Amino acid sequence: MTGIRLTAPAPGWAIDADVVVVGSGVAGLTTALRCAAAGLATVVVTKARLDDGSTRWAQGGIAAALGEGDTPEQHLDDTLVAGAGLCDETAVRALVTEGPGAVGRLIDTGAHFDTTDTGAIALTREGGHHRRRIAHAGGDATGAEISRALVEAVRSAALRIIENALVLDLLTDAEGRTEGVTLHVMGEGQHDGVGAVHAPAVVLATGGMGQVFSATTNPPVSTGDGVALALRAGAEVSDLEFVQFHPTVLFLGADSEGQQPLVSEAVRGEGAHLVDASGTRFMLGQHELAELAPRDIVAKAITRQMHLQGAEHMYLDARHFGAEMWAQRFPTILAACRTHGIDPVTQPIPVAPAAHYASGGVRTDLRGRTTVPGLYACGEVACTGVHGANRLASNSLLEGLVFAERIAADITGATGVPRADSGAAVRRTSVADPAGAGTVALLTAESRTAIQRIMTRGAGVIRSAGSLAVAAEELEALQLAADAAEDGPKDAVPGVEAWEATNLLLVSRVLIAAAREREETRGCHWREDRPDRDDASWRRHLVVRIATDRQPVVRTTDGAAFPPVCPGDPADPTDTAGSDSLRNHPADAPEEP
């Protein structure tokens, strides 16, 4: 335990549950449905509306070995290659072998995928896949369909739902075991203001942290809240330096900020070409899969061409699709492009990389357990070892499904878990603050933009020792400015905007610490001053925690395998290394030889 928490009013109400799931994407809702079906009193907490999670923004689809001739082993091979030597093969094998069944259960839940004339699931290809194994819905609206089906199932199951709620911190007992969460509900209602949900199991399914950067495909709610909460609770995070920049995001201008429209990889899977302003295809000869190379390779190639030609963007040319194919296969992307004055039927689409997906996150084992007892993590907030240094396209929805089911199985199979009264009334009595907790000085709402610009300049697609050092200094200055006043700047009052900015700063500082430590280029971590991949020194993971002085402490694993999160637990399938398999050294120390 760190004893660190956000500055916030004491909870004024509380409810009891067996499980609290934080997040309403594919990972969170699948976990909640499975736990509720087992008879556990389950509460779903979501930052916006139930259907506003990141899942509904997913365009391309969900990857699984569903097609004739395809096998989980082939899916595994493609995932390992994309992960650039840092995937945990045991985790990947669980993903690809359990994936087809998980997709089938999603269909049973009510999700409808596009089908062929024969009634089979229609499959497409995306970057890094050697076979067509991407199932899609509504052409390019897969996430929206999955979200719709799961939301309907959750509402039908009559789960307790708390919407418009930002989770603040983890509640723990004297031994450091999870006891629930504190949260702030926005707006008036039964749960208005800061309260608590008491539960012996908390599942973080809060999505990504794309709002760390100025331009991202992530929705505004993706501010790294789950990672920040876990860090303050004493949990370990891993691989946070590996932020995937999607190669083809609709270019809206060099100064555009906030959520940007994604142009799905499936467009290239159906035959679109990447070209420069003269119409020359520049991916030919750079990789055997050309435009369908893994995302890190394509993003680097686009960025390299932009620098060589002094251009702000490249182009994606799919004019040969024709109007009918655009309308039927990619209606969402077609509408987004036309909204911004581009008609892809007659014009090449201007594209540039933007922050998209965090391959790292809160470190878990194969059951979703973190290093804090009773705290689980699933989906983009988690680091299961599946993605390694670069996520294979469309593995994210599958990971959410597979590991959500694994978490639910662990929770529902646990013994000695106290059961709450599922009809428990809201308790309006005050809930005491955790003993010995220290508060974090809050940042102003305006600090969010400052953080995003610092991170974009210093830790974007291309990084260097110099750019990362400057970013670290600038982020530290923001923290020191907040600490200078007893409770932060006078205009940094407790509230959603201040809490989000404070979470972004913590996540950014940890990301920078890891990126400075990894002195090589691997996957989506591109160090221009260290352009080569160095397996001898760096085929290992960086594990970070926050010390009691609130500074990141970076540790390095001995190899590509994760150490167990629960050392000595014989039932833990990841328990293959001793607890001493980590070397501890300060975040700013030079790498050991």
Side-chain angles (χ1 to χ4, degrees):
M1 291 186 295
T2 66
I4 304 170
R5 59 179 175 80
L6 289 172
T7 299
W13 54 268
I15 59 176
D16 294 323
D18 296 320
V19 184
V20 55
V21 177
V22 187
S24 60
V26 61
L29 296 187
T30 300
T31 304
L33 284 169
R34 298 292 184 273
C35 288
L40 297 184
T42 305
V43 174
V44 176
V45 176
T46 185
K47 193 173 179 180
R49 297 190 307 274
L50 195 61
D51 62 351
D52 268 348
S54 294
T55 290
R56 73 183 184 96
W57 295 99
Q59 294 176 344
I62 184 168
L66 301 169
E68 184 177 354
D70 197 5
T71 64
E73 199 69 25
Q74 294 176 65
H75 189 182
L76 180 142
D77 289 343
D78 285 344
T79 300
L80 295 180
V81 169
L86 279 187
C87 296
D88 183 297
E89 186 169 340
T90 305
V92 177
R93 194 170 294 280
L95 177 83
V96 299
T97 56
E98 297 172 23
V103 172
R105 287 184 288 277
L106 179 62
I107 293 171
D108 292 340
T109 302
H112 301 291
F113 290 95
D114 296 337
T115 57
T116 65
D117 293 339
T118 63
I121 294 177
L123 301 173
T124 189
R125 242 182 108 190
E126 291 184 353
H129 293 272
H130 282 79
R131 284 188 174 272
R132 285 182 170 263
R133 65 168 65 97
I134 315 300
H136 48 84
D140 58 359
T142 310
E145 170 57 19
I146 290 174
S147 180
R148 179 205 62 77
L150 290 173
V151 167
E152 286 188 6
V154 165
R155 294 200 186 281
S156 296
L159 272 69
R160 186 189 288 266
I161 301 163
I162 304 177
E163 296 181 298
N164 301 309
L166 172 64
V167 170
L168 302 177
D169 282 302
L170 192 72
L171 293 171
T172 56
D173 62 18
E175 285 72 44
R177 180 171 180 83
T178 296
E179 285 195 327
V181 292
T182 56
L183 66 161
H184 173 79
V185 181
M186 297 162 261
E188 297 180 358
Q190 185 182 23
H191 303 301
D192 188 23
V194 175
V197 180
H198 294 292
V202 171
V203 182
L204 296 178
T206 52
M209 56 184 191
Q211 290 293 324
V212 160
F213 297 94
S214 296
T216 177
T217 62
N218 289 194
V221 294
S222 298
T223 50
D225 306 316
V227 172
L229 176 150
L231 283 165
R232 287 192 297 271
E236 294 178 345
V237 303
S238 186
D239 298 353
L240 217 61
E241 69 271 30
F242 297 118
V243 176
Q244 188 178 78
F245 285 73
H246 197 287
T248 53
V249 176
L250 183 62
F251 181 75
L252 302 180
D255 297 326
S256 61
E257 297 181 334
Q259 186 178 9
Q260 313 286 298
L262 177 66
V263 181
S264 170
E265 198 149 3
V267 177
R268 280 175 282 138
E270 297 292 352
H273 302 144
L274 283 165
V275 299
D276 60 18
S278 67
T280 301
R281 289 179 66 184
F282 54 86
M283 285 303 301
L284 295 176
Q286 296 207 31
H287 190 276
E288 61 168 336
L289 297 177
E291 281 89 355
L292 286 178
R295 286 179 178 172
D296 62 315
I297 294 172
V298 180
K300 291 172 186 175
I302 291 174
T303 303
R304 189 177 294 114
Q305 288 297 315
M306 288 164 55
H307 286 185
L308 288 174
Q309 299 182 17
E312 293 182 325
H313 59 81
M314 291 287 112
Y315 293 92
L316 186 64
D317 192 351
R319 290 174 290 180
H320 55 285
F321 285 5
E324 183 177 355
M325 180 175 174
W326 265 111
Q328 293 183 356
R329 182 66 179 86
F330 301 110
T332 306
I333 299 170
L334 178 64
C337 288
R338 285 177 169 170
T339 296
H340 293 283
I342 302 294
D343 187 351
V345 177
T346 60
Q347 299 171 275
I349 306 168
V351 294
H356 182 56
Y357 190 88
S359 293
V362 184
R363 190 167 78 84
T364 74
D365 64 9
L366 294 188
R367 307 183 205 178
R369 300 183 299 180
T370 74
T371 51
V372 174
L375 179 65
Y376 297 78
C378 189
E380 191 174 354
V381 70
C383 183
T384 61
V386 159
H387 303 307
N390 178 58
R391 175 174 69 93
L392 181 65
S394 288
N395 267 357
S396 55
L397 292 175
L398 190 70
E399 182 193 32
L401 277 179
V402 168
F403 285 88
E405 292 185 341
R406 282 175 159 260
I407 287 173
D410 191 71
I411 293 174
T412 58
T415 58
V417 176
R419 298 295 178 90
D421 176 5
S422 60
V426 176
R427 296 205 311 269
R428 287 287 178 179
T429 56
S430 177
V431 180
D433 292 334
T439 57
V440 177
L442 300 179
L443 274 67
T444 63
E446 292 74 22
S447 299
R448 176 171 179 152
T449 301
I451 294 167
Q452 291 170 333
R453 292 175 179 173
I454 290 169
M455 292 297 290
T456 299
R457 289 193 304 266
V461 178
I462 303 177
R463 304 164 178 178
S464 69
S467 74
L468 291 166
V470 170
E473 291 174 2
E474 292 176 337
L475 293 174
E476 185 69 14
L478 287 177
Q479 185 66 68
L480 290 174
D483 291 340
E486 183 176 349
D487 296 313
K490 292 181 180 179
D491 49 351
V493 296
V496 173
E497 292 181 335
W499 289 322
E500 285 184 334
T502 304
N503 284 339
L504 283 172
L505 179 60
L506 175 56
V507 172
S508 297
R509 293 178 65 210
V510 171
L511 191 160
I512 290 291
R516 295 181 75 183
E517 193 77 18
R518 184 172 290 280
E519 295 181 336
E520 65 158 354
T521 290
R522 181 186 298 270
C524 49
H525 173 66
W526 186 3
R527 286 279 298 261
E528 61 179 344
D529 56 331
R530 301 281 183 171
D532 299 321
R533 173 170 154 175
D534 182 0
D535 279 349
S537 300
W538 287 108
R539 191 163 180 256
R540 56 187 65 177
H541 301 275
L542 296 179
V543 177
V544 189
R545 62 178 177 83
I546 294 296
T548 53
D549 64 358
R550 305 177 188 178
Q551 294 299 314
V553 176
V554 183
R555 302 188 288 175
T556 310
T557 63
D558 283 339
F562 274 135
V565 299
C566 304
D569 181 357
D572 182 355
T574 65
D575 192 4
T576 58
S579 59
D580 61 348
S581 62
L582 292 172
R583 297 200 313 276
N584 191 356
H585 49 95
D588 58 353
E591 170 60 10
E592 298 176 11

